[in-house]
Amino acid sequence: MGVFKLRINNKIHTVDVDDSTPLLWVLRDSLDLVGTKYGCGIGQCGACTVHLNGYATRSCLLTVAMVGDSAITTIEGLSENNNHPVQEAWNKLDVAQCGYCQAGQIMTASAFLEQNKNPSSEDVRMAMHGNICRCAAYNRIEEAVVSAAEKMKSNS
Amino acid sequence: MHTNKKNNVDRRSFMKTSLLASGGILFGFNLIKAVNPESLLTDAVSNLNYQDFNAFIKIALNGKVTIFSPNPEIGQGVKTSMPMLIAEELDVAWKDVTVAQGKLDTKNYTRQVAGGSQSIRFAWLPLRQTGATARAMLVQAAATKWGVSIASCQTKNGFVIHSSGKKIGYGDLVVEAAKLEIPTNVTLKKTKDFNIIGQDIKNVDSSKITEGKPLFGIDFKTPGMLYTSVIRPPAFGQKLLNFESAEAKKIKGVIDVIRFGDKIAVIGESTWLCFLGKKAITANWSSNSTLENTEKQDEDLITLLEGGSIKGVKLKTVRMDGDLETAFSKVDRVIERTYEAPFLPHNTMEPMNFYANVTADKIHLVGPIQTPEGSANRVAKLLKRSPDEVLLEMTRMGGGFGRRLKNDFVLEVAEISSIIQKPVKLIFSREDDMTAGFYRPKVKYRFKAGLKNGKIAAYHIKEAAIGGNINKSRANFFPAGSVKNYKVEVAKLRSKVTTMAWRAPISNFLGCAEQTFLDEVSEELKIDPIQLRIDLLNAADSSDNRMEYSPKRMLEVIKMVKEKSNWRNAPKGTFQGFSAYYSHNTHVAEIAEVVVKEGMPVVTKVYCVVDCGIVVNPLGAKNQMQGGVIDGIGHAMYGDLDLKNGTPQSSNYDRYRLIRMSETPQVETYFIDSDEAPTGLGEPTLPPAAAAVANAIKAAMGIRLRKQPFIKNWELNIS
Ligand code: FES
Ligand code: FES
């Protein structure tokens, strides 16, 4: 067990958990940040995606001991008022079906669009490859990422 | 074609009004009674316990409308589309409507049902009548207030408007309306007057989802709640002999390890500690029967198809028309093909989970389940308690696809909580979820057609399966009634492997097999595959009242998909495949387009036309259609689950391939304009998709795929 200070959504949280605990379960079980979802636990589905210093990261593979003083952003901290361009595109296009995978999809898309301001549709399809949607809302997800990219371009 | 009987339930028996302390009005109604025309209704309002109501329309003094719906969302949009039906007839503007999850009724949990594809079909009339009844009372209140006739009043966007032009908001009428008798005869709007039905309405929970709000069962917590995860027998048919848990118990935060039946539960302070605890346990398992293997199951199923008998099981007839034997003896040619599909786990993104708190005076259960009534009753029985003591609350569900009709996990967590006497949340790891069983039935079909003078003269379907079989209703699907000599036979092989309905039950693979077979028949006859279907449909015997599809509606979807896809005129290098299938009262035709890249087929586009009657919410409907098509293609291409010594060989997404974005086609969706009552949409676009792809692959590569998954070990799975 160990005490860890974590910088999550611009706040410092202190947790006392087993060193091997993945950040995912610290978020969900210790900190009540349940927007980040468990899907597979082995880095295959993307449901648990968060930002680590701005990069999309699988929180199920990242142990709490590995986080250090990196800045973590979860879906709850992506924007103040649900108004990140990616969230707006998701709401505008009504992407979600069951909705379970969507936080991970949004976190992957938002980190990707920070890196690639002018993605081709092939770039989008490859960038989102790591996120499974069992309801197969893929057409809408793709449309929403493209639409968010356009919005972010015109904003900058 | 089966159509809805007119629903003449007496609204007085399922509605009640009351004035709220805040001054607003509450129309209470029993959604479940209302949508289930078979259930008995109490006659007198005064006899009705208020608990009998589980859905409400609240109209506040400021005219704002809240619709409380008890129906949790599973991903098919019913939490949005059902309130739309009420709002339409109430005649309010959708922007003034808030949809809230109805507070679950503590006594009447049994009345809660979770929506599936068919919900909208059953809800169509009763929910509209509910809205119309509330509207009629508001009109009556206005007419009385003004001293005018009801006939001289209209409504629009939450106002009653008199022919003289004066108008009054619903909020100003609620006090009067609450005093009125509930009318029994209300008129519903004409289709052409709909303002909300048929509009693109956004999923009411969309913004909560994009903010990561706790909506799902797995997100639910109570103070002091513990976590648990369970070790189940690794192979179907195994029993627990003994286990060693000392190492697990040494882990700080692992609270207990208990045995119940043939399972071991680790209880801990977090999900992760339970997972760690499970890894630290060594268990010994035994079996007194032979453990099953995929190869042997395959052999047995083929034996059954060939007329053999396994453990007393043989083919038996479900439907028989004409004289099959004589017909086959007179044909020019016979074509016979076998199609095969593996077990498939449901793989909902949210793994199975449930919360239980079993105490001396009550049993509190919370989580994602589609069958609350059965679950609560079975928990009561298991714990030898009265069903009255059980309170079951449903949450939003991270997918269902049939898995959450089963309540194994509810029973497990209830038992664990009753043993440890604490509130506890059971969570399946992905591995638990994928290996715990309740799979899509494993099935093989043998289709045989006798061809004479360029037509199908005899048609014989044989099915051997582990799990579900073609039932009487499905035996009446196309081409029943279109071919004179027709026979369906089925056999169910006994197995320890548990199975369960899986998105578009039976149809999900029957559709693939049948529509691939017809493509093969058209090749044999050297006619266009679409023309073959058209000829069959035109030959349909309209006097066959068992037929569960409408040849006319089927012909229309086929015609439209042919047009939209520019059939037979695809760009060079792009190949098309056609498929059409009826299920869940909806007619669907699809054309898939395939190109070949590096020797492998890539599905680039699918045209999908449905006739699902009136489209309540096109925005949600298109998403459902696209999802169904892509899901159908994904599972046909990659879905696989082999057993070795009774043990599933895939347990997580590293060895179980689900379709991903870069592999998905664009799905173009079209609806047939219709005035008919709406029918299901969450499932029916799935069954035809696999065959459309298989037929396109045949066109592109000359390779006929008859076995799912189409791609196994990164190669085409040629049988
Ligand atoms: S839960 Fe982390 S990738 Fe699936
Ligand atoms: S919306 Fe259900 S898993 Fe993606």
Side-chain angles (χ1 to χ4, degrees), chain B residues 446-573:
Chain B
R446 187 157 291 173
F447 280 75
K448 187 173 160 190
L451 311 178
K452 193 172 169 69
N453 303 331
K455 291 216 158 34
I456 300 177
Y459 195 87
H460 189 185
I461 307 173
K462 289 189 277 188
E463 179 198 66
I466 299 173
N469 280 123
I470 297 181
N471 52 19
K472 280 226 156 52
S473 149
R474 276 200 181 62
N476 297 336
F477 283 18
F478 179 81
S482 297
V483 185
K484 267 208 187 69
N485 303 292
Y486 173 84
K487 186 175 185 182
V488 181
E489 287 180 288
V490 303
K492 188 173 184 172
L493 182 67
R494 283 182 237 271
S495 165
K496 290 262 187 313
V497 184
T498 51
T499 60
M500 188 59 208
W502 193 98
R503 194 175 191 174
I506 315 292
S507 302
N508 55 44
F509 187 64
L510 180 55
C512 174
E514 170 196 294
Q515 290 297 311
T516 308
F517 182 65
L518 289 178
D519 205 65
E520 300 204 51
V521 169
S522 72
E523 283 177 346
E524 197 71 26
L525 291 172
K526 299 200 170 48
I527 70 168
D528 179 84
I530 295 190
Q531 196 55 47
L532 175 76
R533 266 56 153 224
I534 294 176
D535 292 346
L536 279 168
L537 289 162
N538 281 333
D541 175 2
S542 54
S543 69
D544 182 342
N545 56 14
R546 289 177 301 173
M547 207 153 71
E548 289 207 20
Y549 62 98
S550 154
K552 186 172 155 277
R553 293 174 85 171
M554 197 52 126
L555 283 165
E556 271 179 49
V557 289
I558 292 175
K559 191 171 143 225
M560 189 183 229
V561 84
K562 190 175 170 186
E563 256 169 49
K564 296 292 178 191
S565 67
N566 215 355
W567 175 243
R568 291 283 189 232
N569 287 308
K572 200 170 174 312

Side-chain angles (χ1 to χ4, degrees), chain B residues 348-365:
Chain B
T348 59
M349 252 356 245
E350 179 192 18
M352 297 306 111
N353 65 87
F354 227 81
Y355 166 88
N357 187 14
V358 178
T359 57
D361 56 336
K362 72 173 186 5
I363 298 170
H364 189 200
L365 304 167

Side-chain angles (χ1 to χ4, degrees), chain B residues 623-639:
Chain B
N623 207 354
Q624 291 299 313
M625 288 165 71
Q626 293 176 323
V629 169
I630 296 174
D631 190 14
I633 294 174
H635 280 91
M637 296 285 257
Y638 316 120

